[in-house]
Amino acid sequence: MRDLAEKSSVAPDWRNATIEVPGLKIGAVAGLHQRLVSGDLAAWAEASGLDGTAVGAFGLAEGIRYSVRLARDRLLAVSITPISMAARWFPQGFAVTEISAGLQVFDVEGPALQAFIARGTTLDPRQPSASAALSFAGISAIVYRHESKLRIHIDRGLAAYLWTWMEQAAGHIAAGK
Amino acid sequence: MQLFPCPFCGPRDETEFHYGGDAGNVRPDGADVPIDRWAGYLYLRGNPKGTAREIWVHMNCGEFFVMERDTITHKVLSSAALGGEHTA
């Protein structure tokens, strides 16, 4: 029987996986609590106490708890501490879905960050865009700034691919290609 | 590369979008729809030279919208979310 697993990239151990080249450091972020919120986002902000002004593409998120805008009626709530809102439908007009295990998160930092962004997307990082959902490295990702770093959320099934892409991109940037 | 204006996100790379057909091509409803009406809905397209009104979806944010563009110059004339309350 054919072993189809051989066709896929092997995911590294995310607990200690890092990519380090001159000017760029990339690592996996573990332990974040992530919830998708769909529906009436104003009602969500009122019920949860989380700030309703979610960041868009390359927007700056700060602190231990924040939200990222994905669509007109959808955002991603991110927190280091557990989010108290249950994952269910709320009669105020929104639904909360647990997605912590579904999205792998990476942080990218260093003076070569702009070159890294330029390789990943055609979107101008200086131009505001309401949604942080964009095509990065050819796949759909959630991309914004968290403090001084670039933070990327990606479907967990695509994390090994993106890691391989980031290894190659970092290598090319370091080599000045 | 061409930039398309998503009514919610603003200008994005054309590769983030998916074509959804002619705007206004509404699916016939009911049991007694004439066969030529079905044929028109399924197979006949205006394919205009010049201004075209089309349905597109921005796959990253899921926004469905009507985009008006020139099929000769590729210039985008307008885009508006379905429902019409949001434009870009």
Side-chain angles (χ1 to χ4, degrees), chain A residues 20-88:
Chain A
E20 276 197 79
V21 297
L24 212 54
K25 183 180 178 185
I26 306 170
V29 182
L32 287 181
H33 298 269
Q34 303 176 72
R35 294 273 171 88
L36 271 181
V37 181
S38 308
D40 187 337
L41 301 184
W44 148 263
E46 188 176 342
S48 68
L50 263 173
D51 185 5
T53 55
V55 299
F58 301 106
L60 178 63
E62 294 179 297
I64 61 168
R65 182 172 287 202
Y66 56 88
S67 50
V68 184
R69 194 71 179 265
L70 304 184
R72 198 180 291 282
D73 58 356
R74 176 166 283 186
L75 60 76
L76 179 71
V78 183
S79 176
I80 292 174
T81 57
I83 299 169
S84 57
M85 300 285 283
R88 63 175 175 85

Side-chain angles (χ1 to χ4, degrees), chain B residues 60-84:
Chain B
N60 298 80
C61 78
E63 182 94 348
F64 280 83
F65 62 99
V66 177
M67 184 162 68
E68 203 171 35
R69 67 184 184 93
D70 192 306
T71 58
I72 301 171
T73 64
H74 289 183
K75 183 179 179 184
V76 175
L77 305 172
S78 68
S79 75
L82 285 180

Side-chain angles (χ1 to χ4, degrees), chain A residues 71-72 122 129 131 133-135, chain B residues 9 12-13 16 60-61 63 86:
Chain A
R72 198 180 291 282
T122 55
S129 184
S131 167
L134 54 92
S135 291
Chain B
C9 301
R12 292 291 186 96
D13 191 312
E16 294 190 356
N60 298 80
C61 78
E63 182 94 348
H86 306 287

